[in-house]
């Protein structure tokens, strides 16, 4: 055995061990497709991936045929769930007594600072006789209610019960009318960390079953949330990876046995592919710190490309007159150029902006170059004594002879162009990224059902406020809240959840203090005493109204207070300033947009629209990448052949293939997206190889060259067709774009390229 | 708040469903209390708050069943308080206020914890929480409960009185801060009308 082969066989297990040891697989679809190049998209992307909202399960419990909320059950369930390890907190539709007490204790000293959202309007009216009478009545009602004890405690610090204003704002969003009781369960682990979420979810379900058993199994549980979707997506991706990898391996195995009928050939090529995939995994993991499962799934299709180089080496070694190393050396320039053009195609992907595509580009480049180097420097020495037994079992000579006897180049190009023009007007372009997500219809229906039973924010639609500081952001939040109050009053917004009344700007707090100071004079205090006495309350039992002499409450203190958890996830503060989010309940989008029109820094965001805008931007970049990729490949070929005409001829099968496939897509009316473009780019990169191999015809034997092209094209088509078996629409799109593209690319080669007896390779050699 | 509910309703259970006699002991009252299911009472409440110039009076109806407590205050303003074993609901129609909470919440737990032994007739547990004085003369009987751990108690003392051979007609709850409330009770027959009222009032308090 040649020493190169021995070294290869020794190093390969070490590489496999290294890959297994350091691999970190990620399955989150949004991480694959979203990174965000603005603060806004970064906020959304990070919220989707690790944000507090992403860590929540929403559950509802109800009884079939009953309109009574199972409040007792839900409280028992809540206390049981709170004890589960991995669950941060659990809460229901309202605040508990303890939570209310803690909040009152915190905000009581700031009752004047937080009194009104519109101090100019609200504060002057506080000391009118009618307002004071109403206030005293409320106090008396409190004293005579079952909440008398709490009222007495509040009055000891706040004789005018001003904190009621803050409490009223807090309970401004009424819970939804529903026969279902609900809980929000916040987990410690990120919502997309399915490995850690799975046991938590299992415990939630087990706990529900246990408590439900105690209640006679009369209740049904419905659950939704990012972790639920993430787990379903992961299961689907894992299933896809397993399915695609297994079927594609088996299909390749079968194809190989049918074509070569040689176990040695199969082992040789398999080891080449294993080495390529292993090194590609290691390099990708090192570069990105992790590798996405979709990269591995798409990467498995690289088998179809990487296999080209060992196949060409084997076919030429088996069919040529030279030994394997010499034969490999002869075709090396063609393989190298083909590999470079393919890598250029994949490299162009990284400029589309999709984070996942950057991974795929690195993975592909590493895999292709590894396969190429093995095909040139190791494989020939492994097969040199057995090459003749690896001759393919068939030749595609009939088609080659048929095409060779006819000059159909021009008519064919015209037909391709006509097809393209016929189809291009019908191309249905769409930027809806959700179509790339796994089709989880059942989960989506369940999600809609669960959310409709809860007073919940509308997923994916909210208001984003940008400012250069948290103070300005809070002021903006107050302006926006005033605008949203009007929309709510008009019945076009069920609820909104801003950081107010939890947090108020320094300016608003100072304004409240200032206006109270103006109003709280001796006359006002006299009117207050009179109103108190008139109601039958002893004014001497209450402290004198006064304004607490304390500094305004700052945002950081609030975030660390009992109120902090209610606004967590609604703000981002960094060097560039602050972003606040206002979650919206069910609403009329047009009314909200109109209300915000006059507030330039308040932006109504539809996450879906935003993602689609990002996708549109990616698509534009993909078009550019496609154009630049094709241009770079053309330049490379032009430099290589020192003739633009020859370069165009080498490119013609790829171009004709793209024209046919695009034309057919257009005529079919099927919606096209970003991934179709990506698929086209890859098809071009692969088909250019066939053009190069065929036009260079380095073996001086067009039949042998085309035989190698056919074999490698068949393996490529099989590999990409296997992607079509996946449930993931992204993988299906790639399958049904690349496989037909490759078919037309190799099929049209003999029609579009006429290799001469003195092939291009020899001409180049002579020139040099 | 739950303290009120539990206090009133559980004491009502004990003292209105039973007919005490001078010869009776606390145990015999507790035993009979557990056996009773349904009680309907007309009540008058007089609150003596230090913050008010005059005592405040209210009146209404209490209904107690095995699974529900209802206090329907009819005057001077309507105020409906209902509870089951787990949860209470408060509804103040004029002010359009609704509240709900668990009777197992910390404050309710404290009160429930104190009175549960009474419900169960567990004298040992009762004595763990209260100093108990039960006295009876030819004409009247009197039960006095004083929390042992005064640091966390809302009430300084609870006294319940009744005439010999009759259920309790008077109760006084004295708060730690000096405020106190007097309750005057008149037991009524529990009819099917009361039974249907319970469901209606429970639904009303819940907002159904």
């Amino acid at each position: 055995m040649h020493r190169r082969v021995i070294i290869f066989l020794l190093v390969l297990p070490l590489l496999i061990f290294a890959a297994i040891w350091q691999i970190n697989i990620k399955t989150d679809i949004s991480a694959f497709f979203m990174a965000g190049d603005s603060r806004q998209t970064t906020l959304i992307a990070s919220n989707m991936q690790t944000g507090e909202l992403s860590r929540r399960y929403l559950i509802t419990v109800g009884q079939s045929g009953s309109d009574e909320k199972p409040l007792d059950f839900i409280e028992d369930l809540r206390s049981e769930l709170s004890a589960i390890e991995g669950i941060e907190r659990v809460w229901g539709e309202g605040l508990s007594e303890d939570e209310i007490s803690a909040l009152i204790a915190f905000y009581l000293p700031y009752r004047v600072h937080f009194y009104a959202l519109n101090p100019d309007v609200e504060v002057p009216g506080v000391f009118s006789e009618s307002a004071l009478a109403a206030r005293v009545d409320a106090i008396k009602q409190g004293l005579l209610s079952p909440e008398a004890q709490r009222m007495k405690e509040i009055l000891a610090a706040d004789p005018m019960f001003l904190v009621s204003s803050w409490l009223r704002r807090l309970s401004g969003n009424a819970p939804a009318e529903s026969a279902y009781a609900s809980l929000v369960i916040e987990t410690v682990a990120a919502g997309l960390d399915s490995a850690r979420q799975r046991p938590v979810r299992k415990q939630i379900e087990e706990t529900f079953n246990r408590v439900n058993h105690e209640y006679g199994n009369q209740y049904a549980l419905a659950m939704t949330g990012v972790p639920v979707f993430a787990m379903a997506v992961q299961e689907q991706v894992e299933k896809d990876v397993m399915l695609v990898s297994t079927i594609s391996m088996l299909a390749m195995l079968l194809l190989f046995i049918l074509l070569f009928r040689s176990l040695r050939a199969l082992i040789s090529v398999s080891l080449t592919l294993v080495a390529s995939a292993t090194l590609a995994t290691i390099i990708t993991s090192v570069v990105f710190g992790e590798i996405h499962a979709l990269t591995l799934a798409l990467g498995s299709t690289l088998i179809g490309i990487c296999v080209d180089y060992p196949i060409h080496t084997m076919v030429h070694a088996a069919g040529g007159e030279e030994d394997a190393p010499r034969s490999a050396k002869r075709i090396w320039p063609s393989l190298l150029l083909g590999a470079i053009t393919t890598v250029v195609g994949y490299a162009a992907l990284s400029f589309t902006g999709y984070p996942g595509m950057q991974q795929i580009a690195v993975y592909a480049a590493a895999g292709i170059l590894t396969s190429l180097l093995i095909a040139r420097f190791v494989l020939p020495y492994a097969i040199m004594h057995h090459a003749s037994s690896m001759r393919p079992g068939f030749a595609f000579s009939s088609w080659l002879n048929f095409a060779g006897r006819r000059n159909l180049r021009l008519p064919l190009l015209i037909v391709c162009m006509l097809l393209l023009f016929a189809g291009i007007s019908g191309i249905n372009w769409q930027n809806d990224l959700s179509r790339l997500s796994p089709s989880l219809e059942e989960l989506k229906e369940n999600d809609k059902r669960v959310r409709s039973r809860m007073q919940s924010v509308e997923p994916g639609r909210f208001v984003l406020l940008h400012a250069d500081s948290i103070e300005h952001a809070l002021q903006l939040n107050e302006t926006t809240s005033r605008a949203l109050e009007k929309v709510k009053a008009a019945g076009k917004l069920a609820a909104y959840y801003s950081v107010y009344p939890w947090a108020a700007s320094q300016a608003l707090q100072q304004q409240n203090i200032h206006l109270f100071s103006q109003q709280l004079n001796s006359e006002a205090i006299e009117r207050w005493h009179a109103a108190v006495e008139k109601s039958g309350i002893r004014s001497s039992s209450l402290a004198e109204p006064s304004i607490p002499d304390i500094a305004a409450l700052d945002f950081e203190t609030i975030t660390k207070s009992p109120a902090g958890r209610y606004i967590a996830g609604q703000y981002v503060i960094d060097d560039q300033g602050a972003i606040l989010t206002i979650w919206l309940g069910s609403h009329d989008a047009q009314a909200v947009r109109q209300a915000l029109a006059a507030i330039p820094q308040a932006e109504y965001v539809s996450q879906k629209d935003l993602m689609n805008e990002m996708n549109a931007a990616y698509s534009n970049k993909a078009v550019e990448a496609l154009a630049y990729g094709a241009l770079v490949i053309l330049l490379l070929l032009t430099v290589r052949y020192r003739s633009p005409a020859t370069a165009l001829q080498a490119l013609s099968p790829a171009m004709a293939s793209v024209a046919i496939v695009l034309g057919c897509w257009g005529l079919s009316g099927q919606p096209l997206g970003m991934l179709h473009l990506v698929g086209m780019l890859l098809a071009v990169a692969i088909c250019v190889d066939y053009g190069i191999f065929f036009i260079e015809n380095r073996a001086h034997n067009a039949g042998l060259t085309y035989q190698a092209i056919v074999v490698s094209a068949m393996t490529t088509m099989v590999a990409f067709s296997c992607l079509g078996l996946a449930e993931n629409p992204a993988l299906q799109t790639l399958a049904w774009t690349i496989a037909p593209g490759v078919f037309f690319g190799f099929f049209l080669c003999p029609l579009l390229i006429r290799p001469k007896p003195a092939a291009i390779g020899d001409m180049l050699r002579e020139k040099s | 708040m739950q303290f009120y509910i539990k206090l009133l309703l559980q004491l009502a259970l004990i003292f209105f469903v039973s007919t005490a006699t001078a010869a009776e002991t606390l145990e015999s009252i507790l035993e009979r209390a557990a056996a009773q299911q349904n009680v309907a009472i007309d009540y008058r409440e007089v609150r003596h708050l230090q913050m008010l110039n005059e005592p405040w009076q209210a009146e209404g109806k209490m209904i107690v069943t095995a699974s529900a407590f209802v206090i329907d205050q009819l005057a001077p303003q309507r105020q409906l308080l209902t509870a089951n074993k787990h949860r209470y609901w408060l509804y103040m129609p004029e002010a359009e206020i609704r509240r709900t909470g668990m009777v197992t919440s910390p404050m309710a737990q404290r009160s429930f914890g104190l009175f549960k032994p009474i419900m169960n007739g567990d004298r040992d547990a009762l004595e763990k929480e209260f100093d108990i004085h039960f006295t009876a003369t030819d004409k009247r009987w009197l039960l006095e409960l004083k929390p042992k751990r005064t640091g966390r108690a809302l009430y300084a003392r609870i006294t319940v009185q009744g005439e010999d051979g009759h259920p309790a007609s008077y109760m006084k709850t004295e708060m730690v801060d000096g405020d106190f409330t007097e309750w005057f009770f008149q037991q009524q027959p529990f009819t099917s009308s009361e039974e249907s009222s319970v469901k209606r009032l429970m639904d009303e308090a819940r907002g159904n």
Side-chain angles (χ1 to χ4, degrees):
Chain A
M1 195 179 283
H2 196 276
R3 68 174 185 281
R4 289 186 186 186
V5 180
I6 294 170
I7 292 170
F8 172 78
L9 292 175
L10 288 174
V11 169
L12 185 57
L14 296 176
L15 283 175
I16 293 172
F17 176 76
I20 293 169
W21 175 65
Q22 58 86 63
I23 196 166
N24 173 20
I25 300 175
K26 201 168 185 182
T27 54
D28 165 26
I29 188 93
S30 66
F32 193 79
F33 288 109
M34 287 184 67
D37 48 10
S38 70
R39 295 175 68 218
Q40 181 180 328
T41 52
T42 302
L43 176 73
I44 292 165
S46 70
N47 267 340
M48 281 181 70
Q49 290 162 28
T50 57
E52 185 160 331
L53 288 182
S54 82
R55 291 192 272 119
R56 291 176 183 174
Y57 292 87
L58 308 178
I59 68 166
T60 60
V61 174
Q63 188 180 15
S64 176
S66 167
D67 57 357
E68 189 174 329
K69 269 191 185 186
L71 295 171
D72 310 331
F73 177 87
I74 209 79
E75 278 304 326
D76 283 351
L77 183 63
R78 176 184 172 174
S79 64
E80 293 280 329
L81 291 174
S82 301
I84 293 176
E85 195 178 339
I87 288 181
E88 182 91 45
R89 60 187 171 120
V90 184
W91 69 95
E93 291 162 15
L95 297 170
S96 71
E97 272 183 30
D98 283 350
E99 287 163 341
I100 291 174
S101 296
L103 289 170
I104 289 177
F106 178 73
Y107 282 102
L108 203 53
Y110 300 97
R111 59 192 177 275
V112 178
H113 299 68
F114 279 70
Y115 183 77
L117 180 62
N118 298 292
D120 287 337
V121 179
E122 296 177 57
V123 175
V126 171
F127 293 93
S128 70
E129 279 186 21
S130 58
L132 288 174
R135 184 169 292 279
V136 173
D137 273 352
I139 291 172
K140 191 172 176 184
Q141 198 171 47
L143 283 171
L144 298 172
S145 78
E147 306 216 47
Q149 192 56 32
R150 178 176 286 159
M151 176 58 89
K152 282 194 268 186
E153 287 165 8
I154 291 172
L155 290 176
D158 176 15
M160 290 186 74
F161 194 35
L162 295 174
V163 77
S164 61
S165 169
W166 183 85
L167 282 168
R168 197 172 56 248
R169 288 181 208 288
L170 191 64
S171 54
N173 292 317
E177 289 292 327
S178 166
Y180 294 85
S182 60
L183 287 177
V184 181
I185 304 167
E186 191 172 298
T187 58
V188 177
L192 302 173
D193 186 349
S194 296
R196 290 174 67 197
Q197 288 291 352
R198 199 162 279 118
V200 174
R201 180 182 175 173
K202 192 175 169 214
Q203 285 192 71
I204 292 171
E205 287 167 344
E206 284 174 356
T207 304
F208 171 81
N209 290 336
R210 194 175 64 246
V211 178
N212 197 22
H213 182 69
E214 290 165 15
Y215 279 77
N217 288 322
Q218 55 181 318
Y219 299 117
L221 172 74
M223 184 190 292
T224 188
V226 172
V228 175
F229 278 87
M231 277 178 260
V233 170
Q234 191 192 27
E235 279 160 21
Q236 198 183 82
V237 169
E238 281 172 356
K239 200 170 125 194
D240 281 350
V241 169
M242 184 60 75
L243 183 76
V244 169
S245 311
T246 308
I247 302 285
S248 127
M249 288 281 184
L250 287 175
M252 296 289 286
L253 196 73
L254 194 65
L255 187 66
F256 232 79
I257 289 168
L258 282 173
L259 290 176
F260 289 99
R261 290 165 299 177
S262 160
L263 189 63
R264 185 178 289 273
L266 178 65
I267 292 170
S268 303
V269 172
S270 298
L271 289 178
T272 306
L273 296 178
V274 168
S276 304
T278 306
L279 206 59
T281 302
I282 292 172
I283 291 171
T284 309
S285 294
V286 167
V287 171
F288 294 96
E290 64 195 14
I291 189 164
H292 198 282
L294 270 181
T295 307
L296 288 177
L298 288 167
S300 69
T301 64
L302 275 177
I303 294 169
I305 299 170
C306 295
V307 80
D308 285 3
Y309 312 112
I311 284 176
H312 277 272
T313 300
M314 285 195 318
V315 171
H316 281 88
E321 292 166 0
E322 298 165 309
D323 64 7
R326 281 177 193 279
S327 165
K329 191 178 176 185
R330 175 180 286 275
I331 62 169
W332 166 247
S334 294
L335 295 189
L336 179 62
L337 185 61
I340 289 172
T341 55
T342 307
V343 169
V344 165
Y346 274 100
L349 285 183
S350 63
F351 294 105
T352 58
Y354 274 94
M357 293 304 167
Q358 292 170 351
Q359 278 202 9
I360 289 177
V362 171
Y363 188 93
I368 288 168
L369 292 177
T370 306
S371 172
L372 176 74
L373 293 173
I374 294 172
R376 167 66 182 90
F377 297 107
V378 182
L379 185 64
Y381 298 93
I383 61 170
M384 63 183 173
H385 302 303
H386 315 277
S388 59
S389 67
M390 296 176 182
R391 194 186 298 268
F394 77 97
F396 222 64
S397 49
S398 305
W399 170 243
L400 193 62
N401 292 334
F402 172 84
R405 285 198 296 272
R406 288 162 182 81
N407 189 0
L408 295 172
R409 192 188 306 167
L410 192 61
L412 182 62
L413 286 174
I414 291 170
V415 168
C416 289
M417 287 305 115
L418 286 176
L419 192 57
L420 178 65
F421 286 124
I424 207 157
S425 59
I427 283 179
N428 175 12
W429 191 257
Q430 49 90 7
N431 286 315
D432 189 351
L433 197 63
S434 64
R435 286 169 186 265
L436 301 178
S437 300
S439 47
L440 305 164
E441 286 309 321
E442 205 175 313
L443 278 185
K444 286 175 189 168
E445 281 300 313
N446 181 58
D447 182 73
K448 207 183 286 179
R449 206 162 39 239
V450 170
R451 287 178 191 278
S452 71
R453 295 169 183 169
M454 303 174 71
Q455 174 66 290
S456 181
V457 296
E458 271 201 27
R461 296 202 293 176
F462 48 89
V463 177
L464 216 52
L465 309 171
H466 312 254
D468 56 3
S469 67
I470 186 63
E471 171 61 15
H472 287 154
L474 289 171
Q475 289 175 21
L476 186 61
N477 180 60
E478 285 144 14
T479 309
T480 310
S481 295
R482 288 177 200 118
L484 291 176
E485 275 297 329
K486 288 178 187 163
V487 184
K488 192 175 165 189
K492 295 189 171 175
L493 171 64
Y496 71 96
Y497 304 85
S498 81
V499 297
Y500 185 85
W502 305 104
S505 67
Q506 299 281 313
L508 181 66
Q509 294 183 58
Q510 298 297 352
Q511 195 186 1
N512 271 304
I513 292 285
H514 174 69
L515 288 170
F516 258 95
S517 303
Q518 283 184 341
Q519 298 293 324
L520 191 60
N521 50 35
S522 56
E523 286 172 15
I525 291 174
E526 251 178 56
R527 282 200 298 277
W528 165 249
H529 284 307
V532 169
E533 286 295 337
K534 193 177 171 188
S535 75
I537 297 176
R538 282 197 186 100
S539 63
S540 59
S541 65
L542 293 171
E544 201 73 350
S546 64
I547 298 168
D549 185 20
I550 50 172
L553 199 49
D554 65 89
F555 189 74
E556 196 184 345
T557 305
I558 294 166
T559 60
K560 292 173 183 167
S561 76
R565 71 189 210 190
Y566 302 103
I567 54 172
Q570 279 187 270
Y571 62 90
V572 172
I573 303 171
D574 59 20
D575 296 340
Q576 297 174 59
I579 298 178
L580 295 178
T581 316
I582 300 178
W583 305 118
L584 301 172
S586 174
H587 63 275
D588 175 343
Q590 189 56 30
V592 173
R593 280 185 204 276
Q594 274 178 1
L596 301 180
I599 311 169
Q601 289 166 293
E603 189 179 355
Y604 176 77
V605 174
S606 162
Q607 201 157 301
K608 187 174 175 183
D609 290 349
L610 191 68
M611 284 176 71
N612 290 341
E613 279 169 25
M614 287 165 69
N615 192 41
Y618 287 152
S619 299
N620 291 336
K621 287 180 185 173
V623 172
E624 283 176 31
L626 188 65
Y628 283 121
L631 197 64
V632 170
I633 291 170
L634 181 64
L635 277 174
L636 271 173
L637 295 181
T638 305
V639 170
R640 168 73 177 152
Y641 301 133
R642 298 167 199 174
S643 157
T646 310
L648 280 173
Q649 199 183 358
L651 269 176
S652 59
M655 294 298 122
S657 168
V658 167
I660 292 170
V661 174
L662 265 182
C664 290
W665 277 116
L667 288 174
S668 73
Q670 276 284 102
L672 295 192
M674 159 74 194
L675 276 184
H676 292 87
L677 279 180
V678 170
M680 286 287 101
L681 184 59
L682 292 183
V684 167
I686 295 165
C687 293
V688 168
D689 288 9
Y690 304 151
I692 292 168
F693 299 152
F694 200 65
I695 206 166
E696 293 198 3
N697 187 22
R698 286 187 169 268
H700 293 183
N701 182 341
L704 188 63
T705 302
Y706 196 58
Q707 190 180 35
I709 290 172
V710 170
V711 173
S712 64
M714 286 176 83
T715 55
T716 305
M717 283 189 297
V718 166
F720 278 105
S721 298
C722 288
L723 279 186
L725 299 171
E727 280 185 61
N728 192 304
L731 299 181
Q732 288 184 10
T733 300
L734 286 177
W736 304 128
T737 309
I738 297 174
V742 169
F743 171 76
F744 288 114
F746 96 84
F747 191 72
L748 300 179
C749 253
L751 287 174
L752 293 171
I753 299 172
R754 187 63 53 87
K756 291 170 186 167
I760 300 282
D762 295 325
M763 285 163 60
L764 290 170
R765 243 194 327 271
E766 282 164 18
K767 280 184 184 176
S768 63
Chain B
M1 177 173 61
Q2 291 88 334
F3 188 90
Y4 273 106
I5 303 164
K6 293 296 175 187
L7 178 70
L8 296 176
L9 298 175
Q10 290 169 4
L11 285 177
L13 257 181
I14 294 166
F15 301 110
F16 292 95
V17 300
S18 308
T19 304
T21 68
E24 282 181 319
T25 61
L26 180 60
E27 282 83 357
S28 62
I29 292 173
L30 294 176
E31 277 171 21
R32 277 210 304 278
Q36 295 296 321
Q37 290 292 314
N38 305 318
V39 181
I41 304 153
D42 287 341
Y43 76 89
R44 183 164 63 88
E45 176 190 5
V46 182
R47 274 195 214 183
H48 301 264
L49 303 183
Q50 294 161 85
M51 293 180 78
L52 299 184
N53 288 317
E54 302 286 336
W56 173 84
Q57 289 197 45
E59 57 187 46
K61 189 156 193 156
M62 283 186 200
I63 305 175
V64 184
T65 67
S67 59
F69 303 140
V70 175
I71 303 176
D72 189 9
Q73 178 187 295
L74 300 169
Q77 292 96 26
R78 179 93 192 289
Q79 180 178 285
L80 183 59
L81 190 59
T82 66
N84 61 18
K85 285 177 185 171
H86 303 278
R87 182 169 278 273
Y88 71 83
W89 290 266
L90 170 66
Y91 176 41
M92 300 160 87
E94 282 182 26
E96 294 182 345
I97 289 173
R98 286 185 194 278
R99 296 265 191 279
T100 183
M102 292 302 293
V103 294
T104 50
S105 64
M107 193 170 88
Q109 271 290 342
R110 284 202 297 275
S111 55
F112 190 79
L114 291 175
F115 283 88
K116 199 174 178 189
I118 300 176
M119 294 289 285
N120 297 336
D122 185 349
R123 181 163 189 157
D124 290 342
L126 201 61
E127 286 183 336
K128 200 173 165 186
E129 299 293 339
F130 291 112
D131 286 327
I132 305 170
H133 298 279
F134 183 79
T135 54
T137 64
D138 288 348
K139 292 185 177 177
R140 298 190 69 81
W141 57 266
L142 183 142
L143 176 70
E144 186 180 69
L145 302 173
K146 278 188 180 176
K148 283 181 173 168
R149 284 178 280 183
T150 52
R152 63 173 191 170
L154 282 172
Y155 291 85
R157 189 170 63 160
I158 300 161
T159 53
V160 185
Q161 294 178 36
E163 291 181 13
D164 182 45
H166 290 86
S169 57
Y170 174 82
M171 180 167 73
K172 184 178 179 185
T173 54
E174 295 172 56
M175 309 293 286
V176 172
D177 61 12
D179 290 344
F180 66 95
T181 304
E182 293 177 289
W183 300 82
F184 301 89
F185 302 115
Q186 179 83 50
Q187 189 169 358
Q188 302 295 331
F190 190 93
T191 63
S192 57
S193 159
E194 270 72 28
E195 198 163 345
S196 58
S197 288
V198 171
K199 187 179 181 323
R200 179 177 53 79
L201 293 170
M202 291 289 281
D203 285 346
E204 187 182 358
R206 290 177 188 211
N208 290 338

